[in-house]
Amino acid sequence: MESHSNSQKYLSTRGGSYGMPFQDVVLKGLASDGGLFIPEEIPSLPNDWVHRWRRLPFADLAYEVLSLYISPSEIPLSDLKAIIDRSYSTFRHSSIAPLYPLAPSQNLHLLELFHGPTFAFKDVALQFLGNLFEYFLVRRNASSNTHSRHHLTVIGATSGDTGSAAIYGLRGKKDVSVFILHPKGRVSPIQEAQMTTILDANVHNFAVEGTFDDCQDMVKALFADPETNSVHNLGAVNSINWARILAQITYYFHAYFSLINSSSFKSGDKIRFVVPTGNFGDVLAGYFAKQMGLPIDKLVIATNENDILDRFWKSGWYEKKPVHGEAADGGLASDGAKAHEDGAKATLSPAMDILVSSNFERLLWFLVYQGSPADIVQSRREEAGKQVKSWLNELKNSGGFHVSQEILEAAKVDFESECISDIATIETIRDFYNAPSHSDTIHSNGNNVTQSLTNGHSSQKAKYILDPHSAIGVAASLLSLTRAPPPSTHHISLATAHPAKFASAVQLALGENENFDFEKEVLPGEFVGLEKKERRIRVVGKREGLEGMRRIIGEEVKAEAQR
């Protein structure tokens, strides 16, 4: 493809595909060998990028970043600009992702990513992905008759926010059906209502009697099945879809420019991003930004007590560590938390309650590729694909694998990690809310973190109310501050969801405060009455298997045509 640069062609992390165009990567989602798509080369930034980009609004900045990964022969630049503009016209905040000065004297900032239609960071990617799907399908079907039209069946698993964001991005789109699987009783009531009250004919919600990992396994089995793919033309909406990662790269640049354009940033200051993550997609976008040339000192991974990533960075072992019985109990059932049969611990941050981080193999590929002694690029690619495939087979068959010291040290060049307990999560929410408005002094002691601040956000008393996932990022930021303190280092912590989406955790943290009023201080008008609306949902048994899922999807597609 002479019209494509190397950063606009894609390969599979497991070595089975090379030279894939962007459109095929987006519509296919998962590689045929079970691997994930990545660009054959990470692009470098133009020489004058700071001068040209630093004052751009979010959508224009997204255009500059994304065009490095998408050939104009696939999406003409004017069309790409229109897709991006349409994607971010749905956001409630003019800056899309505002940077909030959380603790100014400690150079601690909060990147608010919850201003999209479903109040979660995943809107940033899924509004874009929904418009991409529609663009490709409309173009493909422009000269087709009714019987030969290409119809895409998008299937995704969700622990909460991905499902609603995907549904809002795809509802009513022509030639697209969207199927979202969520673990029954293990998402918050608001998250479930956001998904199941969307009654558009092309939206299908499945409540699976199992865990998020069961949902994910069903999705992967369907993508790996040739018959299902040939009949339904499957497309992926989870962060396994490269377009999800690509869209998220933009807000790292946006946050960087917001900070360096502010009076608090001095020439020579360092910047760390702290990212609460389970599936590793959000922080992986930061890795791509850093590899492109964005001057990030470190990316700090913030996990809950499902700490497979934290354990990897501490030991070099990437392995499932299931817990059962009382050790697995935790979180709040009313926010979707429930002890998982597969051994994932239930926590106050249920969107991160997973045993395995599905995007991690993308990083593993780059670590092997960059460390390979081979002189020929294709040989290095093949070596990386072979090694990643071997590691993932070990994970499947033995429950884990161990990397060499060289690979671990390479991973530590760009990343650090922290594991944050439920106790520290609650303390962080409480301490930010209860902090006196005249102080922004930070104290940290291991996982026991307290914070006082000025210029709060969510109430008239200058208090900031965090959701439990964002609180994990802030708690990890305070620990990182002990290693990289101000004034020479800034921390940008990612706020991934609005606190109203996890009402029970917020109530647990703040309910004893006699001045706290959830409906007045937290609940958005868009959520009022949501749980009382009509719903459409189908319960699916965990043991349906591939044959059962084929049958169920066929029945739903037939029913959709009759609505």
Side-chain angles (χ1 to χ4, degrees):
M1 293 187 292
E2 294 183 1
S3 58
H4 291 60
S5 67
N6 286 337
S7 66
Q8 295 167 342
K9 296 181 288 187
Y10 294 86
L11 57 80
S12 167
T13 52
R14 302 189 193 180
S17 300
Y18 295 95
M20 297 286 289
F22 180 72
Q23 175 173 310
D24 290 357
V25 166
V26 172
L27 294 178
K28 190 174 177 61
L30 189 69
S32 56
D33 61 358
L36 306 182
F37 291 115
I38 52 175
E40 292 192 349
E41 181 179 291
I42 298 175
S44 298
L45 297 173
N47 291 333
D48 59 347
W49 68 278
V50 175
H51 175 72
R52 286 202 300 115
W53 295 4
R54 71 181 296 165
R55 302 291 178 184
L56 293 179
F58 189 96
D60 292 347
L61 184 57
Y63 169 80
E64 295 292 344
V65 173
L66 272 56
S67 62
L68 298 175
Y69 292 90
I70 303 170
S71 170
S73 68
E74 292 196 70
I75 304 180
L77 294 179
S78 59
D79 289 356
L80 179 61
K81 184 68 169 64
I83 291 169
I84 292 170
D85 287 345
R86 189 161 63 251
S87 298
Y88 299 120
S89 66
T90 60
F91 281 64
R92 298 181 307 281
H93 198 288
S94 59
S95 136
I96 311 300
L99 189 67
Y100 181 76
L102 197 57
S105 73
Q106 300 297 317
N107 288 347
L108 176 57
H109 316 268
L110 197 67
L111 182 62
E112 294 183 340
L113 298 171
F114 50 74
H115 293 287
T118 72
F119 294 76
F121 81 99
K122 295 177 182 181
D123 288 322
V124 176
L126 285 166
Q127 286 292 303
F128 174 67
L129 181 57
N131 287 316
L132 270 183
F133 281 146
E134 184 175 53
Y135 176 83
F136 288 139
L137 291 170
V138 167
R139 184 171 65 182
R140 181 175 288 189
N141 290 327
S143 59
S144 302
N145 59 42
T146 302
H147 298 292
S148 63
R149 296 184 69 85
H150 185 89
H151 186 94
L152 186 69
T153 301
V154 174
I155 298 181
T158 185
S159 55
D161 286 335
T162 293
S164 56
I167 287 168
Y168 276 69
L170 292 168
R171 61 182 300 186
K173 299 291 187 187
K174 195 170 185 179
D175 296 316
V176 181
S177 298
V178 55
F179 290 81
I180 297 298
L181 287 67
H182 72 266
K184 183 181 178 183
R186 299 180 184 186
V187 298
S188 76
I190 286 292
Q191 289 173 319
E192 181 177 323
Q194 283 185 308
M195 292 186 286
T196 59
T197 59
I198 302 300
L199 304 180
D200 295 64
N202 71 324
V203 173
H204 307 265
N205 278 288
F206 292 165
V208 177
E209 294 177 326
T211 68
F212 169 73
D213 289 322
D214 293 321
C215 298
Q216 190 91 300
D217 288 344
M218 285 183 174
V219 170
K220 288 182 178 179
L222 289 166
F223 274 98
D225 177 46
E227 179 180 334
T228 304
N229 273 277
S230 64
V231 172
H232 295 293
N233 297 314
L234 298 189
V237 75
N238 286 80
S239 56
I240 59 174
N241 194 307
W242 163 249
R244 284 272 307 271
I245 308 298
L246 176 59
Q248 291 172 315
I249 295 173
T250 300
Y251 52 68
Y252 286 88
F253 284 89
H254 173 75
Y256 171 78
F257 287 124
S258 296
L259 181 56
I260 69 168
N261 289 337
S262 73
S263 60
S264 66
F265 186 86
K266 309 301 180 191
S267 178
D269 285 358
K270 296 179 179 179
I271 302 175
R272 289 183 164 214
F273 283 88
V274 186
V275 188
T277 190
N279 257 332
F280 200 71
D282 202 2
V283 73
L284 182 69
Y287 172 79
F288 277 97
K290 190 174 190 296
Q291 293 296 306
M292 290 170 70
L294 189 67
I296 300 172
D297 177 52
K298 291 286 183 182
L299 293 156
V300 182
I301 298 160
T303 76
N304 65 16
E305 292 171 76
N306 294 290
D307 59 349
I308 186 171
L309 292 170
D310 184 60
R311 285 184 282 112
F312 172 82
W313 260 270
K314 299 291 195 296
S315 68
W317 279 97
Y318 187 78
E319 57 183 346
K320 298 179 183 179
K321 190 177 180 182
V323 291
H324 300 280
E326 291 184 3
D329 290 337
L332 296 166
S334 52
D335 272 350
K338 189 175 181 181
H340 298 186
E341 295 173 13
D342 62 359
K345 180 177 174 58
T347 74
L348 294 171
S349 46
M352 295 158 61
D353 288 352
I354 57 175
L355 281 180
V356 174
S357 299
S358 58
N359 277 290
F360 188 56
E361 67 177 89
R362 283 180 159 126
L363 175 66
L364 289 173
W365 189 94
F366 281 104
L367 293 177
V368 177
Y369 174 80
Q370 292 167 356
S372 171
D375 294 327
I376 301 174
V377 169
Q378 186 58 27
S379 297
R380 294 164 65 190
R381 291 172 178 166
E382 292 172 358
E383 178 186 344
K386 182 178 180 180
Q387 180 62 76
V388 169
K389 184 176 181 179
S390 175
W391 279 331
L392 270 294
N393 284 335
E394 282 189 66
L395 178 67
K396 180 180 179 180
N397 297 325
S398 305
F401 58 86
H402 186 260
V403 303
S404 68
Q405 189 63 31
E406 289 77 13
I407 292 292
L408 179 59
E409 291 304 317
K412 290 181 177 180
V413 170
D414 296 312
F415 296 91
E416 291 180 1
S417 70
E418 297 289 352
C419 172
I420 304 299
S421 69
D422 273 357
I423 293 174
T425 300
I426 287 295
E427 287 179 347
T428 303
I429 296 171
R430 184 177 293 147
D431 292 338
F432 269 80
Y433 182 80
N434 291 329
S437 60
H438 62 274
S439 170
D440 66 349
T441 303
I442 296 174
H443 310 280
S444 71
N445 180 15
N447 246 1
N448 185 6
V449 181
T450 61
Q451 164 80 45
S452 303
L453 68 157
T454 186
N455 299 326
H457 178 66
S458 292
S459 80
Q460 296 178 347
K461 297 180 180 179
K463 318 259 181 157
Y464 201 102
I465 301 174
L466 296 160
D467 97 282
H469 306 78
S470 304
I472 285 174
V474 171
S477 298
L478 302 183
L479 296 171
S480 178
L481 272 161
T482 65
R483 300 187 296 273
S488 60
T489 303
H490 291 258
H491 283 73
I492 299 176
S493 187
L494 273 55
T496 56
H498 192 283
K501 301 197 77 168
F502 300 93
S504 295
V506 173
Q507 288 281 14
L508 178 64
L510 305 180
E512 294 183 1
N513 190 313
E514 61 182 19
N515 296 318
F516 175 65
D517 185 330
F518 180 85
E519 291 191 5
K520 181 179 178 181
E521 298 185 60
V522 181
L523 192 66
E526 293 89 339
F527 288 6
V528 176
L530 183 62
E531 295 179 52
K532 297 179 181 179
K533 289 185 176 181
E534 180 185 354
R535 303 184 185 211
R536 190 173 71 241
I537 187 170
R538 180 167 180 168
V539 177
V540 176
K542 182 176 75 171
R543 304 190 187 283
E544 282 288 350
L546 183 59
E547 290 294 332
M549 289 304 299
R550 279 188 195 145
R551 171 181 54 80
I552 291 168
I553 289 173
E555 292 171 355
E556 289 287 321
V557 169
K558 183 177 180 180
E560 176 184 330
Q562 298 171 349
R563 290 187 184 122

